Structure formats: structure tokens, C-alpha cells
Amino acid sequence: MAQEAPPAAESLDPTSEVMSLQMGPSHPATHGTIKFDLTLDGEKILNLETEIGYLHRGFEKMCEQRTWNHVVPYTDRLNYASPLINNVAFALAAEKLLEIEVPERCQYIRTIMSEISRITDHMTCLGMAAAEAGAISVGFYMMETRELLYDLVSAVTGARLTVSYARVGGVTQDVPHGFAERVRDTFGDIDKILSDCDQLLSKNRIFIERMSGVGAISQQDAVSYSLTGPLLRATGIPHDIRRSQPYLVYDRLDFDIPTGTQGDNYDRFAVRFEELRQSKRMIEQALEQLPEGPIRVDDPRISLPDKKDVYGNIEGLMNHFKLVIEGVKIPPGEVYIPVEGANGELGFYLVSDGSGRPYRVRVRPPCFFGMAALGTMLKGHLISDIITTFGMVNMIGGECDR
Amino acid sequence: MELLSKAESAFSGKIVESHTHHDNATIVLERADLIEVLTRLRDDPEFALNMLVDLSAVDFFGQEPRFEVVYHLYSLRLNHRLRVKVRVAEDEAWLPSVTALWKAANWLEREVWDMFGVSFRDHPKLTRILMYEEFQGHPLRKDYPVAKRQPLVEERDPIANPWNKK
């Protein structure tokens, strides 16, 4: 019986022609419904188009239906890794519209909590990225340190992730007794784990070769794509809103801004790692300087009363009722307030029409811009480099598509 | 304040309105002048507003013109910010695209188109970015109902009509 001739050798060669491949939308390494449309030459990426998926929760639309303080819990969900920064940014923007300034103690507490949040965010990013690159132990160690910090967060706010801590005009409650000692104890534990992680990664040949020279972006492209935060600093631009346009009490704290030189994944990793140390420095200084005093503005038209007044007397109850039902009356106007989020510039553009509800809430999400630049970062690299680069962009679904 | 007066003298006759509420310098432009002014703001070393930090829109439903498209610019070198706004009417809801000036504008303009239905001429690929292509309407318009549902696939009762049975 005549046998069929075997196919020609070149038609079996998968690298002989360009291949289209869709990665995602539920790939285990892309936390969220991200889809990459890849054009490949073998394993080499010729083109990468990113689709950020349809998780869209309509954050901005929901905010228009609620009072100003009702928006605070929604801002938690923008970024589960650093919800306190989102809380604080929104409150700062609303306060700017009201033209009020919160008491000094509150500003210090907000600064401390924002920096704790930055550490937990960087821990999540670095730990997950290391685990995705194969260093699973580092992933576990980083998660452990993050848990230690979440204990502090829950001692202050009563929750670990859905903190809802900031309010227009202050914060919900003061830090607990002995908080400063507790933070210092926790930092003692964290230092040891961090030095272990440093030793496991910083001179690890496999890790360096997977990160170094991969996913690089030039300074010019980084600016054109409006990259901010660690992604911009890794290219060598020392731009940090905490320094360039200080808010809260950052102008009273001494800290360095780490930068990279290559703008690649290794620099992004190194910048974030150094920022962990800088944030700890800032928290220690802020705890030293923490003054006594009130934690919210003394104005019943703006600040919610203490819970003991709500349950204890009729004035407190009425005050609470009016503010919850009608909302804080913010005069008509518009404002844009940027803060240094863990991923970059987090901005709130608010428009008020004078009612108790925001007319428009626009969030400037930092990782949205990093995702837009992903194609440029990855052109010419291999499929496996998508994982590490995506990890270093640190996309958070809630923030990216809101 | 200084930045605003500089902009006012540089673009006299092109600025429809300007203000500095809450320390945010703002200028309002006509659509026809947008590209020219933004290019100069980016390239002129006096302004050096090299970063398009944000691009969004506001729907002033019931007012004329209805939409306000808002550009937030930032200068890395001079550390100042400027807000540029353009107002567009509902029946003429389009602007020239600034994707040639900033790469970040690509996704931002797609988002404004998706959410508000303001389109951008000369955009390389003006498709929806947050919603799916079959989605009807633009959700951040004030007249889009909050609770409206738009299932992509036909809804079915899995008990009366199980998935594994035709």
C-alpha cells in the first residue's frame, strides 16, 4: 500500500511564518481579564496589543449617585493593595474644593497610613512578580511581611482591605494607644525578612537575567506615555509628587527618591525595593513628630460626629443623620489633586455643582498608562518576558478600568 | 498665576475663558485652536508642558454646549500644571486627536469616546476600551440610566433550558 509522503520539512517549522496568538483573557499570570493579542515570530514578540477587558464596575458613574462621604468605600476598591492612599487622595481633593485644611495630627496620621499602604502595595507587586518569575519563597516572605502590616492597618481602621478610613474633613478614628511602639516592633520583624528577600533576589543570576534588559522603555517614550511612579523613576527621572508638589506633611520628612538608569524591569524592581526602605524612614520620622490634637475639623456641616455622640445625644444623632442623608455641601467648582500613589500619580478631578453629591468624579489611574505602554516595552522580547514585565507594571484591575 | 498670565499673553485672542480656582490654572479654548495651542504648550521652553497627565470629559447635560473635554498638562522640568478645556456641542461632539503629540492620548481618547461619545478625528483606532464593542450608548452621559442592563448574550433560564441540552 502506497504511503502518503511526509510533509515538507519547512511546513513543520513553526518559526517559518508569523503567528497570531491570543494570550488570556484569563491567563493565570494576568490577574484580571487582560487579553494580549500577540503577533509572534517563533517566541519573539513582533507586536502586542493589550485589551484591558470588561471588568468595568462603573466607579465614576456610581460616585455621581452618592454623597461625598459615600464615595470613600468605593475608592478602597480601586486598589486593594493600597486603599488608604486612594481614600486620602479623594478626601484631599474634596477638602480642597471646600477650602479647608484638616488638623495637624490628622495630616500626620494620613501620611503614616499612606506610607504603610505604599509598603503593602510594593510588597504585593514585588512578591507576586518574584513568584511569577519562579522565586516562590520570596513571594511567601513578602506576603508574610504584608500580613504583619495589615495587622497594623486593621488595628487603626478595623479592616484589612476595605479600610474606608478617610473622611471629608478628617479620618474615622484616632490611632490606638501604643501604636508607635507597635509599628517599631513590626518594622524590626520586617527588616529581617526584607534582607532575606534581598539576598535571595538581588544577586540571583536567574532572576537578574529574567529582569535585566527586559521591558525597557526610553525616557522620551515614558514621558509620552505619561508613565509616573516607579516606572518613570526607573528611567532616571527623579519625579515624585511627594517632593515636587508636597501635600500632607511630606515637606517635613527627610527621604530620598531612588531612580534607575535603564528603565528596565530590574530597575523597576530595585526602585520599588528601595522605596520600601524610604517609606519606613518616613513613617519613623512622622511617628516621632506626631502631635496631639483633634483628628477632624471641628465643623458639624463637614465632619461626622463621634459615635458616642451619635448614640448619646440628639444633636449628635441629627448631625449624623443630616450628613449621611444629604451629604456635605461642597461649593460649586472643579479641582484636580494629584498624590503619589504606589504605582504613580493618582489624581482626582472633581466637579461639584453645590449639591451634596459629586457632579463628576474622575480618577487618573496610574497603571492604565503603564498598560498602554506595554506593547512598546515588549516589542522584540520573548513571550515569557510578558510575565515579568506585566508584573512590574503592577496592574490592579479595579484601578485600571474602574 | 504666573503661568496663567504667560499663557494669556502668548495666546491672546485664542483663550475663551481662564481662571485659577483652587490653585489650578485653567484655560478654555475653541476647538479650532486646540492642536496649535497644545503643540506650543508642549514644545515652547517657557511652558514645557511635556506630559499629558490626564484627559477626560464632563457632561453638563441640559447646558449648551453640552460636553467639556478636559486636558491636564504637567511640566516635569518647570513643575507646573495647566488645565486646558474645550467645550463641544452634542450634535458636533468631536475634537481633533492629540495622539500625534502624546502617545498616552491614544487610550485616553478611546476612553472619552467610550464613556461620553465624544469622538476624536484622526485617531488611529477609535474603538471602545472599557465596554464591549456591541454596547449601546455611552455610560457616563448623564442621560444614560444607572440601572440599565445590556446583556451581550441572550439571557436564558439554565433550569428550564440547561446548557448541555439543545
Side-chain angles (χ1 to χ4, degrees):
Chain A
M1 209 167 93
Q3 281 201 342
E4 223 173 277
E10 61 266 24
S11 71
L12 280 176
D13 181 7
T15 61
S16 64
E17 60 183 43
V18 170
M19 180 168 74
S20 295
L21 184 80
Q22 298 198 4
M23 184 173 167
S26 51
H27 189 277
T30 58
H31 4 122
T33 53
I34 305 296
K35 186 173 76 130
F36 300 119
D37 288 343
L38 301 166
T39 311
L40 301 169
D41 175 10
E43 278 200 60
K44 193 171 138 194
I45 300 164
L46 298 180
N47 192 36
L48 179 142
E49 297 271 331
T50 314
E51 271 189 32
I52 56 175
Y54 314 116
L55 276 179
H56 190 54
R57 296 164 307 134
F59 167 81
E60 292 171 9
K61 185 83 173 174
M62 283 202 295
C63 292
E64 293 170 8
Q65 323 299 322
R66 298 286 183 270
T67 67
W68 290 94
N69 271 324
H70 287 161
V71 173
V72 173
Y74 295 155
T75 61
D76 289 343
R77 276 75 168 173
L78 284 176
N79 188 339
Y80 56 84
S82 53
L84 285 150
I85 299 178
N86 295 270
N87 278 187
V88 168
F90 175 75
L92 282 173
E95 282 154 13
K96 187 87 181 172
L97 272 176
L98 274 166
E99 292 186 331
I100 55 165
E101 198 160 84
V102 293
E104 210 172 40
R105 184 175 175 84
C106 175
Q107 296 198 22
Y108 272 97
I109 294 174
R110 283 181 176 182
T111 310
I112 294 166
M113 298 313 287
S114 295
E115 289 312 309
I116 290 180
S117 244
R118 189 180 318 281
I119 301 179
T120 56
D121 192 297
H122 284 352
M123 295 271 182
T124 314
C125 170
L126 299 179
M128 290 319 293
E132 279 159 8
I136 194 105
S137 317
V138 177
F140 288 139
Y141 293 167
M142 290 275 189
M143 289 303 122
E144 187 187 344
T145 42
R146 196 184 73 162
E147 288 304 312
L148 294 172
L149 287 163
Y150 277 170
D151 288 345
L152 292 177
V153 171
S154 75
V156 176
T157 68
R160 297 165 78 78
L161 295 167
T162 53
V163 291
S164 309
Y165 184 55
R167 291 286 180 276
V168 178
V171 290
T172 47
Q173 66 235 353
D174 208 334
V175 294
H177 187 67
F179 180 67
E181 288 73 50
R182 219 173 140 175
V183 173
R184 287 187 195 111
D185 287 351
T186 308
F187 280 180
D189 297 340
I190 288 176
D191 279 338
K192 198 192 159 300
I193 306 175
L194 274 185
S195 94
D196 283 351
C197 293
D198 197 6
Q199 285 173 31
L200 277 168
L201 292 180
S202 299
K203 293 188 180 66
N204 180 326
R205 189 175 158 189
I206 300 170
F207 187 73
I208 291 171
E209 288 193 5
R210 291 238 21 213
M211 304 293 269
S212 190
V214 175
I217 194 162
S218 67
Q219 275 192 1
Q220 200 185 357
D221 273 348
V223 173
S224 187
Y225 274 113
S226 304
L227 300 186
T228 46
L231 293 181
L232 182 67
R233 289 193 282 274
T235 67
I237 300 177
H239 170 62
D240 190 317
I241 296 161
R242 292 172 293 176
R243 182 62 59 74
S244 64
Q245 296 179 328
Y247 53 99
L248 296 173
V249 295
Y250 285 110
D251 51 350
R252 300 179 209 174
L253 306 177
D254 183 27
F255 63 98
D256 300 325
I257 301 171
T259 52
T261 50
Q262 310 296 316
D264 61 3
N265 286 338
Y266 190 77
D267 279 359
R268 288 166 194 151
F269 172 83
V271 164
R272 284 201 175 93
F273 211 95
E274 183 53 32
E275 280 184 20
L276 293 175
R277 298 194 178 106
Q278 296 302 327
S279 290
K280 275 170 52 201
R281 249 178 94 187
M282 278 183 249
I283 295 167
E284 278 158 4
Q285 292 171 52
L287 283 170
E288 292 260 312
Q289 298 172 16
L290 184 66
E292 290 298 322
I295 49 142
R296 59 177 83 101
V297 290
D298 185 20
D299 187 337
R301 292 167 305 170
I302 297 167
S303 288
L304 287 161
D306 266 334
K307 278 282 179 276
K308 72 173 175 13
D309 290 328
V310 179
Y311 298 126
N313 60 59
I314 189 68
E315 289 79 13
L317 182 66
M318 283 165 63
N319 186 192
H320 186 268
F321 181 82
K322 291 280 275 185
L323 275 181
V324 169
I325 299 299
E326 291 172 8
V328 184
K329 295 281 191 299
I330 292 188
E334 56 181 339
V335 74
Y336 177 79
I337 290 285
V339 303
E340 186 67 32
N343 278 337
E345 175 169 337
L346 173 74
F348 274 93
Y349 173 57
L350 305 180
V351 180
S352 172
D353 60 353
S355 68
R357 292 160 188 232
Y359 188 76
R360 168 97 170 98
V361 176
R362 156 76 186 169
V363 195
R364 191 251 181 219
C367 60
F368 184 80
F369 298 83
M371 289 302 286
L374 208 58
T376 306
M377 292 178 194
L378 279 164
K379 216 165 272 180
H381 291 292
L382 303 180
I383 300 180
S384 57
D385 296 330
I386 295 174
I387 307 304
T388 48
T389 310
F390 181 76
M392 281 298 115
V393 166
N394 193 13
M395 193 223 55
I396 307 284
E399 194 176 79
C400 191
D401 55 16
R402 287 146 285 135
Chain B
M1 207 57 196
E2 203 190 322
L3 170 67
L4 196 61
S5 47
K6 259 191 217 167
E8 276 167 348
S9 61
F11 309 112
S12 58
K14 287 182 178 149
I15 295 177
V16 183
E17 196 187 309
S18 65
H19 63 75
T20 317
H21 292 165
H22 309 296
D23 308 329
N24 292 168
T26 307
I27 57 172
V28 183
L29 299 172
E30 293 283 358
R31 172 166 53 202
D33 301 323
L34 180 71
I35 295 288
E36 187 197 331
V37 174
L38 286 185
T39 311
R40 171 117 185 252
L41 286 173
R42 186 190 67 159
D43 298 336
D44 189 337
E46 213 180 341
F47 299 108
L49 290 154
N50 54 349
M51 196 182 259
L52 175 70
V53 169
D54 197 17
L55 197 178
S56 64
V58 187
D59 177 11
F60 291 101
F61 185 53
Q63 290 180 36
E64 208 46 60
R66 179 172 171 178
F67 298 105
E68 207 167 63
V69 180
V70 189
Y71 299 76
H72 283 102
L73 307 179
Y74 175 64
S75 166
L76 278 168
R77 187 164 61 79
L78 301 174
N79 190 25
H80 57 208
R81 285 170 191 273
L82 181 67
R83 181 189 297 140
V84 178
K85 303 203 284 190
V86 184
R87 294 179 182 138
V88 288
E90 188 179 358
D91 51 354
E92 277 259 301
W94 65 271
L95 279 176
S97 169
V98 295
T99 41
L101 298 179
W102 291 284
K103 290 177 178 172
N106 189 318
W107 277 29
L108 291 168
E109 286 177 354
R110 281 174 67 189
E111 190 181 337
V112 172
W113 157 247
D114 192 356
M115 294 288 114
F116 289 92
V118 176
S119 73
F120 293 87
R121 293 208 176 152
D122 302 323
H123 187 287
K125 189 187 164 199
L126 195 66
T127 50
R128 288 184 178 274
I129 186 163
L130 299 179
M131 315 308 291
Y132 46 90
E133 275 302 308
E134 294 83 350
F135 191 87
Q136 305 282 320
H138 303 282
L140 274 183
R141 286 190 171 191
K142 288 280 178 186
D143 53 355
Y144 187 92
V146 182
K148 187 172 175 181
R149 284 174 63 89
Q150 284 198 39
L152 174 61
V153 289
E154 208 177 290
E155 278 187 298
R156 62 200 294 183
D157 180 357
I159 296 165
N161 193 2
W163 293 105
N164 55 1
K165 245 192 248 172
K166 283 271 162 75

